């Protein structure tokens, strides 16, 4: 079970949004590379990065910041936001990404996702962001008519490494993961699912260790880590098998 710390990039800075609204950005660090190093030093073993400008503009915008992150950490990095073509995917993987996350293009052109999975085995994740149970695209600015499970099932057997499922209504507001929807998605498909959106406290970390959640690959945490609501050492100890009672405070 992996806890993925998140670096969301807006104008080269490390920020967090509320409900996906760019106007609500809180700047947490103007040096994303330093933040990546800090997460590694805290014991995290993966890093989740989103190019927020790229997600809205449909092309990579924060490439320099991502490049600096890749140089600063030894941890594998997964990146989403504005990656829409096979050439862009190949370029990012060549630059050292462990995974590319495809979101909007998974809705607009699912065949491209399948081609990417064949060309780059184990390197492609699909980001499914939902509002009111329907998939949103273009940096969450547009709603589609697709249901979450309907979209996920399009990629069964395609070789997708993981599905990152975000409940937009909970993202950045610390109300807790939507466990029912996330575990329901994991039950519906064979692709590993990563929970995202709303992780708020150690209680959510403990919830990740419950039997019905153990099928998940992990969860992403942003604001709760930055605000100090989750102690990294305590969270990682829980996920690595120490009894939860020993780590509660």
């Amino acid at each position: 079970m992996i806890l993925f710390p998140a670096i969301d990039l807006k104008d080269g800075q490390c920020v967090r949004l509320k409900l996906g609204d760019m106007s609500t950005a809180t700047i947490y660090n103007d040096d994303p590379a330093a933040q990546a190093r800090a997460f590694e030093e805290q014991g995290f073993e993966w890093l989740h990065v989103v190019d927020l400008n790229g997600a809205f503009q449909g092309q990579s915008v924060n490439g320099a910041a991502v490049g600096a992150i890749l140089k600063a950490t030894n941890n594998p990095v997964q990146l989403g936001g504005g990656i829409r073509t096979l050439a862009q995917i190949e370029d990012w993987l060549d630059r050292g990404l462990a995974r590319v996350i495809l979101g909007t293009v998974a809705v607009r052109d699912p065949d491209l996702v399948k081609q990417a999975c064949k060309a780059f085995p184990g390197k492609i994740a699909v980001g499914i962001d939902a509002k009111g149970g329907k998939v949103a695209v273009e940096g969450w600015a547009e709603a589609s008519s697709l249901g979450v499970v309907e979209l996920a099932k399009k990629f069964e057997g395609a070789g997708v490494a993981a599905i990152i499922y975000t409940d937009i209504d909970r993202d950045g507001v610390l109300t807790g993961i939507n466990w029912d929807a996330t575990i329901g998605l994991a039950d519906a498909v064979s692709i590993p699912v990563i929970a995202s959106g709303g992780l708020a406290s150690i209680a959510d970390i403990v919830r990740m260790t419950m039997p019905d959640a153990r099928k998940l690959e992990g969860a992403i945490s942003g604001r709760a880590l930055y605000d100090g609501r989750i102690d990294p050492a305590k969270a990682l100890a829980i996920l690595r098998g120490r009894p939860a009672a020993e780590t509660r405070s």
Side-chain angles (χ1 to χ4, degrees):
M1 185 71 70
I2 302 168
L3 185 60
F4 297 79
I7 292 180
D8 288 359
L9 297 169
K10 179 177 182 284
D11 304 331
Q13 297 174 313
C14 180
V15 308
R16 295 301 294 173
L17 307 183
K18 289 185 178 180
L19 306 176
D21 183 349
M22 289 284 269
S23 69
T24 66
T26 300
I27 299 169
Y28 282 98
N29 199 326
D30 60 8
D31 187 345
Q35 186 62 62
R37 282 194 298 271
F39 281 140
E40 183 176 349
E41 289 166 0
Q42 288 168 349
F44 293 101
E45 297 178 347
W46 266 86
L47 183 61
H48 175 79
V49 180
V50 178
D51 181 346
L52 293 171
N53 302 101
F56 281 92
Q57 295 182 32
Q59 59 184 0
S60 295
V61 174
N62 288 287
V66 177
I69 287 169
L70 289 169
K71 291 178 181 177
T73 182
N74 294 311
N75 283 344
V77 177
Q78 59 184 24
L79 171 70
I83 303 172
R84 307 283 169 85
T85 69
L86 285 172
Q88 291 169 340
I89 293 166
E90 183 172 17
D91 178 61
W92 275 118
L93 293 175
D94 285 346
R95 292 174 66 178
L97 282 183
R99 278 182 188 161
V100 168
I101 304 164
L102 303 178
T104 295
V105 74
V107 176
R108 305 279 198 232
D109 190 358
D111 285 340
L112 184 143
V113 176
K114 294 173 184 177
Q115 292 171 29
C117 289
K118 289 180 181 178
F120 311 108
K123 302 288 188 179
I124 305 300
V126 168
I128 299 182
D129 307 325
K131 189 173 181 64
K134 297 296 183 182
V135 177
V137 295
E138 305 293 348
W140 303 352
E142 296 180 20
S144 77
S145 60
L146 275 175
V148 172
V149 173
E150 179 186 2
L151 177 60
K153 282 185 174 294
K154 291 187 178 186
F155 303 109
E156 283 278 39
V160 170
I163 289 173
I164 299 164
Y165 172 65
T166 303
D167 185 331
I168 298 170
D169 294 320
R170 297 187 182 224
D171 190 71
V173 294
L174 300 168
T175 54
I177 294 283
N178 185 340
W179 293 108
D180 288 345
T182 304
I183 293 170
L185 174 60
D187 284 337
V189 295
S190 61
I191 305 165
V193 173
I194 299 170
S196 174
L199 196 146
S201 67
I202 286 292
D204 278 320
I205 303 297
V206 173
R207 180 68 180 84
M208 291 168 66
T209 69
M210 298 296 103
D212 63 342
R214 288 177 184 166
K215 67 191 70 176
L216 301 176
E217 180 172 296
I220 293 166
S221 180
R223 189 176 291 270
L225 283 174
Y226 291 107
D227 286 350
R229 294 169 184 265
I230 291 177
D231 176 78
K234 184 182 293 186
L236 292 171
I238 291 170
L239 295 177
R240 290 168 184 167
R242 276 180 53 194
E246 291 180 19
T247 57
R248 287 179 181 147
S249 62

